[in-house]
Amino acid sequence: NLLAYYSTKGVDKMTAFAQELLDADPNNKIANYGMGYVYVSQQKFAEAAKYYEKCVEIDPNYFDGNYQCGFCYYQIGLENGRKISDKKYASQAAADKEAETKVKSYLRKALPYFERARDLRPEEPERWASELKVIYNNLNMKDKAKALPEI
């Protein structure tokens, strides 16, 4: 319903409505999801992740909450990776150290959410397999990456 509200009334009204719902009940899964959606639409992934984490805390079996939380951390990792690839480094070791802290750490955060999404919807690999493959490959989990279905 919040997404329908968003599409008919706009992001500002939907945000205000979701915030009203959260003020009344901070454990409203759908209101948390709606706030996360607002931040993702603005590409504010760190802010969005907080709301999606709350969704998963409320309902660990909520596929969309797990997927979106993983997606946010995945996007932060990729964004940091793009920034790192644009920089000049004094050594490969310096580049590797920054990649470890700014890319792989976020991919590690994304990993359990994507694995949970996979476990919740194994019959829908088109919804999680490509991101999970990138994560596994970047975290040197090549065997797990190879075991994923091709989509």
Side-chain angles (χ1 to χ4, degrees):
N1 289 339
L2 278 176
L3 297 182
Y5 201 90
Y6 170 75
S7 65
T8 59
K9 305 221 183 224
V11 69
D12 292 337
K13 296 243 186 228
M14 198 277 286
T15 304
F17 182 54
Q19 190 58 58
E20 273 183 52
L21 294 173
L22 288 174
D23 289 344
D25 179 9
N27 291 318
N28 183 316
K29 176 175 75 174
I30 300 306
N32 276 287
Y33 185 87
M35 291 298 285
Y37 184 86
V38 167
Y39 285 114
V40 164
S41 71
Q42 299 168 358
Q43 297 189 339
K44 295 179 179 179
F45 298 111
E47 292 89 341
K50 294 172 192 171
Y51 289 99
Y52 292 131
E53 282 180 351
K54 185 68 174 175
C55 288
V56 173
E57 178 186 313
I58 295 164
D59 181 359
N61 295 322
Y62 185 36
F63 174 84
D64 290 326
N66 278 283
Y67 175 83
Q68 291 296 341
C69 195
F71 178 78
C72 288
Y73 288 127
Y74 178 81
Q75 288 300 319
I76 295 168
L78 293 181
E79 181 180 305
N80 282 316
R82 286 188 290 275
K83 290 175 185 174
I84 289 169
S85 69
D86 290 342
K87 282 182 160 182
K88 300 279 187 224
Y89 290 91
S91 69
Q92 185 61 45
D96 291 346
K97 183 177 180 186
E98 189 160 5
E100 178 63 34
T101 58
K102 292 189 175 177
V103 178
K104 291 183 180 184
S105 65
Y106 283 103
L107 295 181
R108 278 190 206 91
K109 283 184 174 185
L111 179 61
Y113 295 105
F114 279 114
E115 288 180 329
R116 184 69 180 140
R118 177 201 56 207
D119 294 345
L120 290 168
R121 301 248 178 108
E123 72 284 359
E124 297 179 27
E126 67 280 1
R127 306 254 337 249
W128 47 261
S130 64
E131 291 96 341
L132 198 49
K133 184 173 267 192
V134 169
I135 293 168
Y136 282 151
N137 281 321
N138 276 279
L139 297 180
N140 296 319
M141 302 167 87
K142 308 285 187 208
D143 291 339
K144 286 189 172 195
K146 287 178 187 173
L148 291 174
E150 293 297 323
I151 53 169

